[in-house]
Amino acid sequence: MTVSIEQRLRERLGAARAAGRWRAPRTLEGPQSPEQVIDGRRVVAFCSNDYLGLAADRRVVAAARAALEDYGMGAGAAHLVNGHTRVHAELEDDLAEFTGRERALLFSTGYMANLGVLQALLGRHDTVLEDRLNHASLIDASRLAGCRTRRYRHGDAEHAGAMLEATAARQHSRLIVTDGVFSMDGDHAPLPALAALAQRHGAWLMVDDAHGLGVLGEGGGGSCEHFPLTPSEVPVLMGTLGKAFGTAGAFVAGSRTLIEGLTQFSRTYIYTTAMPAAVAAATRQSLAIAQRESWRRAHLGSLVGRLRQGLTQLGLGDPGVVSPIQSVILGTSRLATAMADALLEQGLLVPAIRPPTVPEGSARLRITLSAAHTETQVDRLLDAIDRLLPRDRRAHPAAC
Ligand SMILES: *Cc1c(COP(=O)(O)O)cnc(C)c1O
């Protein structure tokens, strides 16, 4: 007997609702900014990836507007047909220079870039080693590639090393893939150790630096500048443009051979429409601002320090995490949702992140900060968490 798709969907939707896993978008009025009106409610938002506060920057918007006049709205075709404008070419050159790589290639989204890289580089007999907490797009990418997949314990280079030993086989390639800064926990991958492993075993290392680029390093060069690591230690660098750079899209940077390989073989590059030229023009502008205005990183860093210190005093958070992503792990989906709802009542938008986005038992509040936040806003958040969180949920009681 067959089950109708309609019937199965209804059952699954019912189960998701019952499990407290229902998701729905909120509707935002106006641009990305800490103070915003969402679902008709005025809030201070702590959930944007607009880390440098560039998503609505007037200069970025003006660059897009000027390019709209010159190029119109739609790119009209894929890069390899005739959607690749002068602005796209210039942005690729800028990104190559910014990352210190020979070349860079634009993709429409980070999700597609990750799918396209693994699919283009790996075949059925090759192996990808993934951190267990890698972004969903990297996990899905190994499925599209149809390669063998091993997942090593989070942040555990030794475990990855053991897997490399176990998968050595002539004629087959290995790729280690990791987030640079993990999207849910905000911690760094052990990149120097992974890079050394990759070199020792003749494998390649790919870093998805969606949350590192623009944010880490003196010049915003991301995880590779932070550690630092050379282009030959990280042969495949993927970055997104919708986070710190405040626009949309993504890129992969690396050697001429890598980029030529992706151009010829990456299905998510070949079979999709190029991003609008206006987006590329806006990104050229925001990339320049992100590099030049290092005060944005300095202010963000000081806000992160303030938040970490406050959370530590409340017996919350992980003081080892120094990125603008700060998680307050609460355990159950029910408690995380209740806290998020209570904060929203106070005009503070902090999302509850629940399984399956994070592992079972690690439902949490995920706070992200931006250079556009003020110290007062961070203090208000800390105050509210202190007032609303049950005492028995803290790892250790406050010192005073
Ligand atoms: C956001 C994100 C992506 C996806 O990028 P989009 O451009 O939003 O599709 C990929 N990897 C990581 C780690 C991310 O945080």
Side-chain angles (χ1 to χ4, degrees):
M1 198 186 72
T2 65
V3 180
S4 79
I5 292 174
E6 169 81 17
Q7 186 184 343
R8 175 126 83 237
L9 269 180
R10 284 178 189 282
E11 285 167 11
R12 289 170 57 207
L13 289 171
R17 211 187 260 284
R21 289 182 179 182
W22 196 255
R23 301 161 186 254
R26 298 182 176 88
T27 304
L28 173 68
E29 313 288 341
Q32 212 37 258
S33 141
E35 289 190 29
Q36 52 183 241
V37 175
I38 196 159
D39 278 355
R41 188 194 292 262
R42 183 169 296 281
V43 298
V44 180
F46 293 93
C47 50
S48 177
N49 302 311
D50 180 26
Y51 297 120
L52 299 179
L54 293 176
D57 186 279
R58 304 174 77 84
R59 296 161 294 179
V60 174
V61 174
R65 189 171 288 138
L68 278 176
E69 292 299 327
D70 293 346
Y71 291 92
M73 185 63 238
H79 284 276
L80 292 175
V81 182
N82 70 348
H84 186 72
T85 67
R86 167 73 48 206
V87 193
H88 293 98
E90 287 168 347
L91 175 58
E92 288 180 340
D93 290 346
D94 291 354
L95 289 165
E97 193 185 334
F98 171 61
T99 58
R101 264 80 181 161
E102 287 176 357
R103 284 190 57 191
L105 192 71
L106 291 173
F107 283 81
S108 299
T109 70
Y111 204 117
M112 288 172 67
N114 284 340
L115 293 183
V117 171
L118 266 64
Q119 171 264 317
L121 300 188
L122 301 173
R124 197 153 59 89
H125 298 292
D126 300 325
T127 303
V128 64
L129 274 66
E130 301 227 17
D131 187 291
R132 276 196 201 284
L133 295 191
N134 272 355
H135 189 263
S137 57
L138 289 170
I139 304 299
D140 295 356
S142 73
R143 291 195 202 146
L144 179 64
C147 60
R148 300 172 190 205
T149 306
R150 300 276 186 115
R151 295 173 76 177
Y152 57 88
R153 284 188 294 270
H154 176 54
D156 191 341
E158 238 171 77
H159 195 203
M163 287 179 170
L164 280 175
E165 301 279 356
T167 56
R170 262 178 295 169
Q171 309 299 326
H172 298 160
S173 313
R174 275 96 49 84
L175 178 71
I176 305 175
V177 176
T178 183
D179 286 22
V181 173
F182 287 88
S183 52
M184 290 299 136
D185 295 79
D187 55 334
H188 294 276
L191 294 185
L194 292 174
L197 270 180
Q199 294 207 317
R200 180 150 16 100
H201 290 273
W204 263 14
L205 175 62
M206 170 177 178
V207 174
D208 170 344
D209 214 16
H211 298 279
L213 283 165
V215 175
L216 297 172
E218 189 63 24
S223 296
C224 292
E225 185 185 346
H226 170 84
F227 277 109
L229 291 163
T230 63
S232 65
E233 288 174 300
V234 181
V236 188
L237 175 63
M238 176 277 196
T240 61
L241 304 173
K243 289 171 181 155
F245 300 116
T247 59
F251 70 94
V252 176
S255 67
R256 282 189 190 87
T257 307
L258 171 72
I259 298 308
E260 210 44 72
L262 296 178
T263 307
Q264 305 305 320
F265 307 127
S266 181
R267 299 173 64 83
T268 58
Y269 173 78
I270 299 168
Y271 298 107
T272 197
T273 304
M275 68 169 61
V279 173
T283 308
R284 291 196 73 203
Q285 180 64 250
S286 71
L287 180 63
I289 297 171
Q291 290 177 81
R292 194 170 65 232
E293 298 186 353
S294 55
W295 63 264
R296 292 175 184 273
R297 272 179 293 283
H299 177 56
L300 178 60
S302 108
L303 293 175
V304 170
R306 197 176 183 91
L307 177 65
R308 279 170 58 224
Q309 193 181 5
L311 288 175
T312 306
Q313 276 173 6
L314 298 177
L316 298 169
D318 178 348
V321 172
V322 296
S323 75
I325 303 169
Q326 297 282 319
S327 273
V328 175
I329 298 196
L330 296 172
T332 63
S333 292
R334 196 176 301 275
L335 180 62
T337 308
M339 266 303 279
D341 289 348
L343 287 168
L344 191 58
E345 284 300 315
Q346 309 282 312
L348 299 164
L349 179 59
V350 183
I353 309 285
R354 299 158 289 177
T357 305
V358 292
E360 232 23 91
S362 75
R364 66 195 64 191
L365 296 175
R366 177 177 180 268
I367 304 166
T368 54
L369 294 179
S370 157
H373 280 114
T374 63
E375 293 185 346
T376 313
Q377 288 167 337
V378 171
D379 292 348
R380 208 180 127 199
L381 174 64
L382 283 164
D383 252 20
I385 292 176
D386 186 25
R387 272 184 289 112
L388 296 170
L389 192 68
R391 297 278 144 191
D392 62 346
R393 289 296 161 172
R394 298 168 191 197
H396 48 88
C400 47

